[in-house]
Coordinates of all heavy atoms in Angstrom, one line a residue:
M18 N 64.0 45.4 75.3 CA 65.0 45.0 74.4 C 64.4 44.1 73.3 O 63.7 43.1 73.7 CB 66.1 44.3 75.2 CG 67.3 44.0 74.3 SD 68.8 43.8 75.2 CE 68.5 42.3 76.2
P19 N 64.5 44.4 72.0 CA 64.0 43.6 71.0 C 64.8 42.3 70.7 O 65.9 42.3 71.2 CB 63.9 44.5 69.8 CG 65.1 45.4 70.0 CD 65.2 45.6 71.5
C20 N 64.2 41.4 70.0 CA 65.0 40.3 69.5 C 66.2 40.7 68.7 O 66.0 41.5 67.8 CB 64.0 39.4 68.7 SG 64.9 38.0 67.9
Y21 N 67.4 40.1 69.1 CA 68.6 40.6 68.4 C 68.5 40.2 66.9 O 69.2 40.8 66.0 CB 69.8 40.0 69.0 CG 70.2 38.6 68.5 CD1 71.1 38.5 67.5 CD2 69.7 37.5 69.1 CE1 71.4 37.3 67.0 CE2 70.0 36.2 68.6 CZ 70.9 36.1 67.6 OH 71.2 34.9 67.1
R22 N 67.7 39.2 66.6 CA 67.8 38.6 65.3 C 66.8 39.2 64.3 O 67.1 39.6 63.2 CB 67.5 37.1 65.3 CG 68.3 36.3 64.3 CD 68.2 34.8 64.7 NE 69.0 34.0 63.8 CZ 68.6 33.8 62.5 NH1 67.5 34.2 62.0 NH2 69.4 33.1 61.7
C23 N 65.6 39.3 64.7 CA 64.5 39.9 63.8 C 64.0 41.2 64.3 O 63.2 41.8 63.6 CB 63.4 38.8 63.7 SG 62.4 38.6 65.2
G24 N 64.4 41.6 65.5 CA 63.9 42.9 65.9 C 62.5 43.0 66.5 O 62.0 44.1 66.8
A25 N 61.9 41.8 66.7 CA 60.5 41.8 67.3 C 60.6 42.3 68.7 O 61.5 42.1 69.4 CB 60.0 40.4 67.3
R26 N 59.5 43.0 69.0 CA 59.4 43.5 70.4 C 58.8 42.5 71.4 O 57.9 41.7 71.0 CB 58.5 44.8 70.4 CG 59.1 45.9 69.7 CD 60.1 46.6 70.6 NE 60.9 47.6 69.9 CZ 61.9 48.3 70.5 NH1 62.1 48.2 71.8 NH2 62.6 49.2 69.8
Q27 N 59.4 42.4 72.6 CA 58.9 41.4 73.6 C 57.6 41.9 74.1 O 57.4 43.1 74.4 CB 59.9 41.4 74.7 CG 59.5 40.3 75.7 CD 60.6 40.1 76.8 OE1 61.5 41.0 77.0 NE2 60.7 39.0 77.4
T28 N 56.6 41.0 74.1 CA 55.3 41.3 74.8 C 55.2 40.5 76.1 O 55.7 39.4 76.1 CB 54.2 40.9 73.8 OG1 54.3 39.6 73.5 CG2 54.2 41.8 72.6
D29 N 54.6 41.1 77.1 CA 54.5 40.5 78.3 C 53.5 39.3 78.2 O 52.4 39.4 77.7 CB 54.0 41.4 79.4 CG 55.0 42.4 79.7 OD1 56.2 42.1 79.7 OD2 54.6 43.6 80.0
P30 N 53.9 38.1 78.7 CA 53.0 37.0 78.6 C 51.9 37.2 79.6 O 52.0 37.9 80.6 CB 53.9 35.8 79.1 CG 55.0 36.4 79.9 CD 55.2 37.8 79.3
V31 N 50.8 36.6 79.3 CA 49.6 36.7 80.2 C 49.9 36.1 81.5 O 49.6 36.7 82.5 CB 48.4 36.1 79.5 CG1 47.2 36.2 80.4 CG2 48.0 36.7 78.2
R32 N 50.5 35.0 81.5 CA 50.9 34.3 82.7 C 52.1 33.5 82.6 O 52.4 33.1 81.4 CB 49.7 33.5 83.3 CG 49.4 32.3 82.4 CD 48.3 31.4 83.1 NE 47.1 32.1 83.2 CZ 46.1 31.8 84.1 NH1 46.3 30.8 84.9 NH2 45.0 32.4 84.1
G33 N 52.8 33.1 83.6 CA 53.9 32.3 83.5 C 55.2 33.0 83.1 O 55.2 34.2 82.9
A34 N 56.2 32.2 82.9 CA 57.5 32.8 82.5 C 57.5 33.2 81.0 O 56.8 32.7 80.2 CB 58.6 31.7 82.7
S35 N 58.3 34.2 80.7 CA 58.4 34.7 79.3 C 59.0 33.6 78.4 O 60.0 32.9 78.9 CB 59.3 35.9 79.3 OG 59.6 36.2 78.0
P36 N 58.5 33.4 77.3 CA 59.0 32.4 76.4 C 60.3 32.9 75.7 O 60.9 32.1 75.0 CB 57.9 32.1 75.3 CG 57.2 33.4 75.3 CD 57.2 34.0 76.7
W37 N 60.6 34.1 75.9 CA 61.9 34.7 75.3 C 63.1 34.1 76.0 O 63.1 33.9 77.2 CB 61.8 36.2 75.4 CG 60.9 36.8 74.3 CD1 59.6 36.5 74.3 CD2 61.2 37.8 73.4 NE1 59.1 37.2 73.3 CE2 60.1 38.0 72.7 CE3 62.4 38.4 73.0 CZ2 60.0 38.9 71.6 CZ3 62.4 39.3 72.0 CH2 61.2 39.6 71.3
Q38 N 64.1 33.8 75.2 CA 65.4 33.2 75.7 C 66.4 34.4 75.9 O 66.5 35.2 75.0 CB 65.9 32.2 74.8 CG 67.2 31.5 75.3 CD 67.7 30.6 74.3 OE1 67.0 30.1 73.4 NE2 69.0 30.3 74.3
R39 N 67.2 34.3 77.0 CA 68.2 35.3 77.2 C 69.5 34.6 76.8 O 69.7 33.4 77.1 CB 68.3 35.8 78.6 CG 67.2 36.8 78.9 CD 66.8 36.7 80.4 NE 67.9 37.2 81.3 CZ 68.1 38.5 81.6 NH1 67.3 39.4 81.0 NH2 68.9 38.8 82.5
G40 N 70.4 35.3 76.3 CA 71.7 34.8 76.0 C 72.8 35.8 75.8 O 72.4 37.0 75.9
V41 N 74.0 35.5 75.7 CA 75.1 36.4 75.5 C 75.7 36.2 74.1 O 76.0 35.0 73.8 CB 76.1 36.3 76.6 CG1 77.3 37.2 76.3 CG2 75.5 36.7 77.9
R42 N 75.8 37.2 73.3 CA 76.4 37.1 72.0 C 77.4 38.2 71.8 O 77.0 39.4 72.0 CB 75.3 37.2 70.9 CG 75.6 36.8 69.6 CD 74.3 36.7 68.7 NE 74.7 36.4 67.4 CZ 75.0 37.3 66.4 NH1 75.1 38.5 66.7 NH2 75.3 36.8 65.2
N43 N 78.6 37.9 71.4 CA 79.6 38.9 71.3 C 79.7 39.8 72.5 O 79.7 41.0 72.4 CB 79.4 39.8 70.0 CG 79.5 39.0 68.8 OD1 80.3 38.1 68.7 ND2 78.8 39.4 67.7
E44 N 79.7 39.1 73.7 CA 79.9 39.8 75.0 C 78.7 40.7 75.3 O 78.9 41.6 76.2 CB 81.2 40.6 75.0 CG 82.4 39.8 74.6 CD 82.7 38.7 75.6 OE1 82.7 39.0 76.8 OE2 83.0 37.6 75.2
S45 N 77.6 40.7 74.7 CA 76.5 41.5 75.1 C 75.3 40.7 75.2 O 75.0 39.7 74.5 CB 76.3 42.7 74.1 OG 76.1 42.2 72.8
Q46 N 74.4 41.2 76.2 CA 73.2 40.5 76.5 C 72.2 40.6 75.3 O 72.0 41.7 74.7 CB 72.5 41.1 77.7 CG 71.3 40.3 78.2 CD 71.7 39.1 79.0 OE1 72.4 39.2 80.0 NE2 71.2 38.0 78.6
V47 N 71.6 39.5 74.9 CA 70.6 39.5 73.8 C 69.4 38.8 74.2 O 69.4 37.9 75.2 CB 71.2 38.9 72.5 CG1 72.3 39.8 71.9 CG2 71.6 37.5 72.7
L48 N 68.3 39.1 73.6 CA 67.0 38.3 73.8 C 66.6 37.7 72.4 O 66.9 38.3 71.4 CB 65.9 39.3 74.2 CG 65.8 39.7 75.7 CD1 64.7 40.7 75.9 CD2 65.6 38.5 76.5
I49 N 66.1 36.5 72.5 CA 65.7 35.8 71.3 C 64.3 35.5 71.4 O 63.8 34.9 72.4 CB 66.5 34.5 71.2 CG1 68.0 34.8 71.3 CG2 66.2 33.7 69.9 CD1 68.9 33.5 71.5
C50 N 63.5 35.8 70.4 CA 62.0 35.7 70.5 C 61.7 34.2 70.2 O 62.5 33.4 69.7 CB 61.4 36.5 69.4 SG 61.6 36.0 67.7
P51 N 60.5 33.7 70.6 CA 60.2 32.3 70.4 C 60.3 31.9 68.9 O 60.7 30.7 68.7 CB 58.7 32.3 70.8 CG 58.6 33.4 71.8 CD 59.5 34.5 71.3
D52 N 60.1 32.7 67.9 CA 60.2 32.3 66.6 C 61.6 32.0 66.2 O 61.9 31.0 65.6 CB 59.6 33.4 65.7 CG 58.1 33.5 65.6 OD1 57.5 32.5 66.1 OD2 57.6 34.5 65.2
C53 N 62.5 32.9 66.6 CA 63.9 32.7 66.2 C 64.6 31.6 67.1 O 65.6 31.0 66.6 CB 64.7 34.0 66.4 SG 64.2 35.3 65.3
Q54 N 64.0 31.2 68.2 CA 64.6 30.1 69.0 C 64.5 28.8 68.2 O 65.3 28.0 68.4 CB 63.9 29.9 70.3 CG 64.2 31.0 71.3 CD 63.3 30.9 72.6 OE1 63.0 29.7 73.0 NE2 62.9 32.0 73.1
R55 N 63.6 28.7 67.3 CA 63.4 27.5 66.5 C 64.5 27.3 65.5 O 64.7 26.2 64.9 CB 62.1 27.4 65.8 CG 60.9 27.3 66.8 CD 59.6 27.0 66.0 NE 58.5 27.8 66.6 CZ 57.9 28.7 65.9 NH1 58.3 29.0 64.7 NH2 56.9 29.4 66.4
L56 N 65.2 28.4 65.2 CA 66.2 28.3 64.1 C 67.5 27.7 64.5 O 68.3 27.2 63.7 CB 66.4 29.7 63.6 CG 65.2 30.3 63.0 CD1 65.4 31.8 62.6 CD2 64.7 29.6 61.8
H57 N 67.9 27.7 65.8 CA 69.1 27.0 66.3 C 70.4 27.4 65.6 O 71.2 26.6 65.5 CB 68.9 25.5 66.2 CG 67.7 25.0 67.1 ND1 67.8 25.2 68.5 CD2 66.6 24.4 66.8 CE1 66.7 24.7 69.0 NE2 65.9 24.2 68.0
D58 N 70.5 28.6 65.1 CA 71.8 29.0 64.6 C 72.2 30.4 65.2 O 72.5 31.3 64.4 CB 71.8 29.0 63.1 CG 70.8 30.0 62.5 OD1 69.9 30.4 63.3 OD2 71.0 30.3 61.3
H59 N 72.1 30.5 66.5 CA 72.2 31.8 67.0 C 73.6 32.3 67.3 O 73.8 33.5 67.5 CB 71.4 31.9 68.4 CG 70.0 31.5 68.2 ND1 69.2 32.3 67.4 CD2 69.2 30.5 68.7 CE1 67.9 31.7 67.4 NE2 68.0 30.6 68.2
D60 N 74.6 31.4 67.2 CA 76.0 31.8 67.4 C 76.2 32.5 68.7 O 76.9 33.5 68.9 CB 76.4 32.8 66.2 CG 77.9 32.9 66.2 OD1 78.6 32.0 66.7 OD2 78.4 33.9 65.6
L61 N 75.5 32.0 69.7 CA 75.6 32.6 71.1 C 77.0 32.2 71.7 O 77.5 31.1 71.4 CB 74.5 32.1 72.0 CG 73.1 32.5 71.6 CD1 72.1 31.8 72.5 CD2 72.9 34.0 71.7
D62 N 77.4 33.0 72.6 CA 78.6 32.7 73.4 C 78.2 31.5 74.3 O 77.1 31.5 74.9 CB 79.0 33.8 74.3 CG 79.6 35.0 73.4 OD1 79.6 34.8 72.2 OD2 80.0 36.0 74.0
A63 N 79.1 30.6 74.6 CA 78.8 29.4 75.4 C 79.8 29.5 76.6 O 80.9 30.0 76.6 CB 78.9 28.1 74.7
C64 N 79.3 28.9 77.7 CA 80.1 28.7 78.9 C 81.3 27.9 78.6 O 81.2 26.8 78.1 CB 79.3 28.2 80.1 SG 80.2 27.8 81.5
S65 N 82.5 28.3 79.0 CA 83.7 27.6 78.7 C 83.8 26.4 79.7 O 84.6 25.5 79.5 CB 84.9 28.5 78.9 OG 85.0 29.1 80.1
T66 N 83.0 26.4 80.8 CA 83.1 25.3 81.8 C 82.2 24.2 81.4 O 82.5 23.0 81.4 CB 82.8 25.8 83.2 OG1 83.7 26.9 83.5 CG2 82.9 24.7 84.2
C67 N 80.9 24.5 81.1 CA 79.9 23.4 80.9 C 79.3 23.5 79.5 O 78.6 22.6 79.1 CB 78.8 23.5 81.9 SG 77.7 24.9 81.7
G68 N 79.6 24.5 78.7 CA 79.1 24.6 77.4 C 77.7 25.1 77.2 O 77.2 25.2 76.1
S69 N 77.1 25.5 78.3 CA 75.7 26.0 78.2 C 75.7 27.4 77.6 O 76.6 28.2 77.8 CB 75.1 26.0 79.6 OG 73.9 26.7 79.6
A70 N 74.6 27.7 76.9 CA 74.5 29.0 76.3 C 73.6 29.9 77.2 O 73.2 31.0 76.8 CB 73.9 28.9 74.9
A71 N 73.3 29.4 78.4 CA 72.4 30.2 79.3 C 73.3 31.1 80.1 O 73.5 30.9 81.3 CB 71.6 29.2 80.2
L72 N 73.7 32.2 79.4 CA 74.6 33.1 80.1 C 73.9 34.4 80.3 O 73.0 34.8 79.6 CB 75.9 33.3 79.2 CG 76.7 32.1 78.8 CD1 77.8 32.5 77.9 CD2 77.2 31.3 80.0
I73 N 74.4 35.1 81.3 CA 73.9 36.5 81.5 C 75.1 37.4 81.6 O 76.2 37.0 82.1 CB 73.0 36.7 82.7 CG1 73.7 36.1 84.0 CG2 71.7 36.1 82.5 CD1 72.9 36.3 85.2
C74 N 75.1 38.6 80.9 CA 76.2 39.5 80.9 C 75.9 40.7 81.7 O 74.8 41.3 81.5 CB 76.5 39.9 79.4 SG 77.9 41.0 79.2
R75 N 76.7 41.1 82.6 CA 76.5 42.3 83.4 C 77.8 42.8 84.0 O 78.7 42.0 84.4 CB 75.5 42.0 84.6 CG 76.1 40.9 85.5 CD 75.2 40.5 86.6 NE 75.9 39.5 87.5 CZ 75.3 38.7 88.2 NH1 74.0 38.6 88.2 NH2 76.0 37.8 89.0
L76 N 77.9 44.1 84.0 CA 79.0 44.8 84.6 C 80.4 44.2 84.2 O 81.3 44.1 85.0 CB 78.9 44.7 86.1 CG 77.6 45.4 86.7 CD1 77.6 45.2 88.3 CD2 77.7 46.9 86.5
G77 N 80.5 43.9 82.9 CA 81.7 43.4 82.4 C 82.1 42.0 82.8 O 83.2 41.5 82.5
E78 N 81.1 41.3 83.3 CA 81.2 39.9 83.6 C 80.1 39.1 82.9 O 79.1 39.5 82.6 CB 81.1 39.6 85.1 CG 82.3 40.2 85.9 CD 82.1 39.9 87.4 OE1 81.0 39.6 87.9 OE2 83.0 39.9 88.1
V79 N 80.5 37.8 82.6 CA 79.6 36.9 82.0 C 79.4 35.8 83.0 O 80.4 35.1 83.3 CB 80.0 36.4 80.6 CG1 79.0 35.4 80.0 CG2 80.2 37.6 79.7
E80 N 78.1 35.6 83.4 CA 77.9 34.5 84.4 C 77.0 33.4 83.7 O 76.1 33.7 83.0 CB 77.2 35.1 85.6 CG 76.8 34.0 86.7 CD 76.1 34.6 87.9 OE1 76.2 35.8 88.1 OE2 75.5 33.8 88.6
C81 N 77.4 32.1 84.0 CA 76.7 31.0 83.5 C 75.6 30.7 84.5 O 75.8 30.5 85.7 CB 77.6 29.8 83.3 SG 76.8 28.3 82.9
R82 N 74.3 30.6 84.0 CA 73.2 30.3 84.9 C 73.1 28.8 85.1 O 72.3 28.3 85.9 CB 71.9 30.8 84.3 CG 71.9 32.3 84.3 CD 70.5 32.9 84.1 NE 70.1 32.6 82.7 CZ 68.8 32.6 82.3 NH1 67.9 33.0 83.2 NH2 68.5 32.3 81.1
S83 N 73.8 28.0 84.3 CA 73.8 26.5 84.5 C 74.7 26.1 85.6 O 74.4 25.3 86.5 CB 74.1 25.8 83.2 OG 73.1 26.0 82.3
C84 N 76.0 26.5 85.6 CA 77.0 26.0 86.5 C 77.5 27.1 87.4 O 78.2 26.8 88.4 CB 78.1 25.3 85.8 SG 79.3 26.5 84.9
G85 N 77.1 28.4 87.1 CA 77.5 29.4 88.0 C 78.9 30.0 87.7 O 79.4 30.9 88.5
A86 N 79.6 29.5 86.7 CA 80.9 30.0 86.4 C 80.9 31.5 86.0 O 79.9 31.9 85.2 CB 81.6 29.2 85.3
V87 N 81.8 32.3 86.4 CA 81.8 33.7 86.1 C 83.2 34.0 85.4 O 84.2 33.6 85.9 CB 81.7 34.6 87.3 CG1 81.8 36.1 86.9 CG2 80.3 34.3 88.0
R88 N 83.1 34.7 84.3 CA 84.4 35.1 83.6 C 84.3 36.6 83.3 O 83.1 37.1 83.2 CB 84.7 34.3 82.4 CG 83.6 34.5 81.3 CD 84.1 33.8 80.0 NE 83.1 33.8 79.0 CZ 82.9 34.8 78.1 NH1 83.6 35.9 78.3 NH2 82.0 34.8 77.2
M89 N 85.4 37.2 83.1 CA 85.4 38.6 82.6 C 85.0 38.6 81.1 O 85.4 37.8 80.4 CB 86.8 39.2 82.8 CG 87.3 39.2 84.2 SD 86.2 40.2 85.3 CE 86.5 41.8 84.7
A90 N 84.2 39.6 80.8 CA 83.9 39.8 79.4 C 85.2 40.3 78.7 O 86.0 41.0 79.3 CB 82.8 40.9 79.2
R91 N 85.3 39.9 77.5 CA 86.5 40.3 76.7 C 86.5 41.8 76.5 O 85.6 42.4 76.1 CB 86.5 39.7 75.3 CG 86.9 38.2 75.4 CD 87.2 37.7 74.0 NE 86.1 38.0 73.0 CZ 85.1 37.2 72.8 NH1 85.1 36.0 73.4 NH2 84.2 37.5 71.9
S92 N 87.7 42.4 76.9 CA 87.7 43.9 76.9 C 87.8 44.4 75.5 O 87.4 45.5 75.2 CB 89.0 44.4 77.7 OG 90.1 43.8 77.1
D93 N 88.3 43.5 74.5 CA 88.4 44.0 73.2 C 87.1 44.2 72.5 O 86.9 44.9 71.6 CB 89.3 43.1 72.3 CG 88.7 41.7 72.3 OD1 88.4 41.1 73.3 OD2 88.5 41.2 71.2
A94 N 86.1 43.5 73.0 CA 84.8 43.7 72.5 C 84.1 45.0 73.0 O 83.1 45.5 72.4 CB 83.8 42.5 72.9
L95 N 84.7 45.6 74.0 CA 84.2 46.8 74.6 C 84.9 48.1 74.1 O 84.3 49.2 74.1 CB 84.2 46.8 76.1 CG 83.6 45.6 76.8 CD1 83.9 45.6 78.3 CD2 82.1 45.6 76.6
T96 N 86.1 47.9 73.6 CA 86.8 49.1 73.2 C 86.3 49.6 71.8 O 86.0 48.8 70.9 CB 88.3 48.8 73.1 OG1 88.5 47.6 72.3 CG2 89.0 48.7 74.5
V97 N 86.2 50.8 71.6 CA 85.8 51.4 70.4 C 87.0 51.9 69.6 O 87.9 52.5 70.1 CB 84.9 52.6 70.6 CG1 84.4 53.3 69.3 CG2 83.7 52.2 71.5
S98 N 87.1 51.4 68.4 CA 88.2 51.8 67.6 C 88.2 53.3 67.3 O 87.2 53.9 67.0 CB 88.2 51.0 66.2 OG 87.1 51.4 65.5
V99 N 89.4 53.9 67.5 CA 89.5 55.3 67.3 C 90.0 55.6 65.9 O 91.0 55.1 65.4 CB 90.5 55.9 68.3 CG1 90.7 57.4 68.1 CG2 90.1 55.5 69.7
P100 N 89.2 56.5 65.2 CA 89.7 56.8 63.8 C 90.9 57.6 63.8 O 91.2 58.3 64.8 CB 88.5 57.6 63.3 CG 87.8 58.2 64.5 CD 88.0 57.1 65.6
P101 N 91.7 57.7 62.8 CA 92.9 58.5 62.7 C 92.5 59.9 62.7 O 91.4 60.3 62.3 CB 93.6 58.1 61.4 CG 92.5 57.5 60.6 CD 91.5 56.8 61.5
P102 N 93.4 60.8 63.3 CA 93.0 62.2 63.3 C 92.9 62.8 61.9 O 93.6 62.4 61.0 CB 94.2 62.8 64.1 CG 95.3 61.9 64.0 CD 94.7 60.5 63.8
P103 N 91.9 63.7 61.8 CA 91.7 64.3 60.5 C 92.9 65.1 60.0 O 93.7 65.7 60.9 CB 90.5 65.2 60.7 CG 90.5 65.5 62.2 CD 91.1 64.3 62.8
G104 N 93.2 65.1 58.8 CA 94.4 65.8 58.2 C 95.6 64.9 58.1 O 96.6 65.4 57.5
L105 N 95.6 63.7 58.7 CA 96.8 62.9 58.6 C 97.1 62.5 57.2 O 98.2 62.5 56.7 CB 96.6 61.6 59.5 CG 97.8 60.7 59.6 CD1 98.9 61.5 60.3 CD2 97.4 59.5 60.3
S106 N 96.0 62.1 56.5 CA 96.2 61.6 55.1 C 96.8 62.8 54.2 O 97.6 62.6 53.3 CB 94.9 61.1 54.5 OG 93.9 62.0 54.5
A107 N 96.3 64.0 54.5 CA 96.8 65.1 53.7 C 98.3 65.3 54.0 O 99.1 65.6 53.1 CB 96.0 66.4 54.1
E108 N 98.7 65.2 55.3 CA 100.1 65.4 55.6 C 100.9 64.3 54.9 O 102.0 64.6 54.4 CB 100.3 65.2 57.2 CG 100.0 66.5 57.9 CD 100.2 66.3 59.4 OE1 101.0 65.4 59.8 OE2 99.5 67.0 60.2
V109 N 100.4 63.0 55.0 CA 101.1 62.0 54.3 C 101.3 62.2 52.8 O 102.4 62.0 52.3 CB 100.4 60.6 54.6 CG1 101.1 59.5 53.7 CG2 100.5 60.3 56.1
E110 N 100.2 62.7 52.2 CA 100.3 63.0 50.8 C 101.3 64.1 50.5 O 102.0 64.1 49.5 CB 98.9 63.4 50.4 CG 98.8 63.4 48.8 CD 97.4 63.7 48.4 OE1 96.5 63.7 49.2 OE2 97.2 64.0 47.2
A111 N 101.3 65.1 51.3 CA 102.3 66.2 51.2 C 103.7 65.7 51.3 O 104.6 66.1 50.5 CB 102.0 67.4 52.2
A112 N 103.9 64.9 52.3 CA 105.3 64.3 52.5 C 105.7 63.5 51.3 O 106.8 63.5 50.8 CB 105.3 63.5 53.8
L113 N 104.7 62.7 50.8 CA 105.0 61.9 49.6 C 105.4 62.8 48.4 O 106.3 62.5 47.7 CB 103.8 61.0 49.3 CG 103.7 59.6 50.0 CD1 102.4 59.0 49.6 CD2 104.9 58.8 49.5
N114 N 104.6 63.9 48.3 CA 104.9 64.7 47.2 C 106.3 65.4 47.3 O 107.0 65.5 46.2 CB 103.8 65.9 47.2 CG 102.5 65.4 46.6 OD1 102.5 64.3 45.9 ND2 101.4 66.0 46.9
R115 N 106.7 65.7 48.5 CA 108.1 66.2 48.7 C 109.1 65.2 48.3 O 110.1 65.5 47.6 CB 108.3 66.7 50.1 CG 107.7 68.0 50.5 CD 108.2 68.6 51.8 NE 108.0 67.7 52.9 CZ 106.8 67.8 53.6 NH1 105.9 68.7 53.3 NH2 106.6 67.0 54.7
V116 N 108.9 64.0 48.8 CA 109.9 62.9 48.5 C 109.9 62.7 47.0 O 111.0 62.5 46.4 CB 109.5 61.6 49.2 CG1 110.3 60.4 48.8 CG2 109.6 61.8 50.8
L117 N 108.8 62.7 46.4 CA 108.8 62.4 44.9 C 109.1 63.6 44.1 O 109.2 63.5 42.8 CB 107.4 61.8 44.5 CG 107.0 60.5 45.3 CD1 105.6 60.1 44.9 CD2 108.0 59.4 44.8
G118 N 109.3 64.8 44.8 CA 109.7 65.9 44.0 C 108.7 66.5 43.1 O 109.0 67.2 42.1
R119 N 107.4 66.4 43.5 CA 106.4 67.0 42.7 C 105.6 68.0 43.4 O 104.4 68.2 43.2 CB 105.5 65.9 42.1 CG 105.0 65.0 43.1 CD 104.1 63.9 42.5 NE 103.4 63.2 43.5 CZ 102.7 62.1 43.4 NH1 102.7 61.5 42.2 NH2 102.1 61.5 44.4
A120 N 106.2 68.6 44.5 CA 105.5 69.6 45.2 C 105.3 70.9 44.4 O 104.3 71.3 44.0 CB 106.2 70.0 46.5
Ligands
LIG222 ZN1 63.3 37.0 66.6
LIG223 ZN1 78.5 26.8 82.8

């Protein structure tokens, strides 16, 4: 998974923990590269219990790694808006034309 902000690819560290930060943004898991971590304007989701941004998102739940609080991910962030069926605007236009007497 690349950095959500600049798109940089994660490289495996030679040793030790990865310097990449994990977080949750708009209900989805994101990774932040070391360069973007310095910018401090990530607009990450924060834990409603302790305010920590150290969250992990999985299976429709968001878990805080600082205090362990778990909440459901907002379902509205997961629903995909459905476009209107094709032809509707043509029907509406035809109906309007009938009403206005210019069919
Ligand atoms: Zn980045
Ligand atoms: Zn917390």
Side-chain angles (χ1 to χ4, degrees):
M18 189 157 63
C20 172
Y21 86 90
R22 210 168 187 286
C23 69
R26 291 280 168 180
Q27 186 173 20
T28 53
D29 290 327
V31 177
R32 66 175 66 201
S35 169
W37 285 56
Q38 181 187 339
R39 284 150 72 80
V41 174
R42 191 170 181 274
N43 294 329
E44 306 293 316
S45 55
Q46 187 79 57
V47 296
L48 278 176
I49 306 164
C50 75
D52 284 344
C53 290
Q54 284 174 39
R55 293 193 222 111
L56 298 174
H57 294 299
D58 60 343
H59 300 302
D60 195 23
L61 292 174
D62 292 359
C64 174
S65 57
T66 303
C67 72
S69 168
L72 306 179
I73 48 177
C74 184
R75 64 183 181 204
L76 299 174
E78 290 180 340
V79 177
E80 180 180 338
C81 175
R82 291 193 295 163
S83 291
C84 73
V87 177
R88 66 170 172 84
M89 299 299 291
R91 285 194 304 271
S92 59
D93 61 305
L95 303 173
T96 50
V97 179
S98 64
V99 180
L105 184 66
S106 58
E108 280 181 26
V109 171
E110 191 177 348
L113 271 175
N114 283 340
R115 279 197 300 276
V116 170
L117 297 175
R119 53 182 193 192

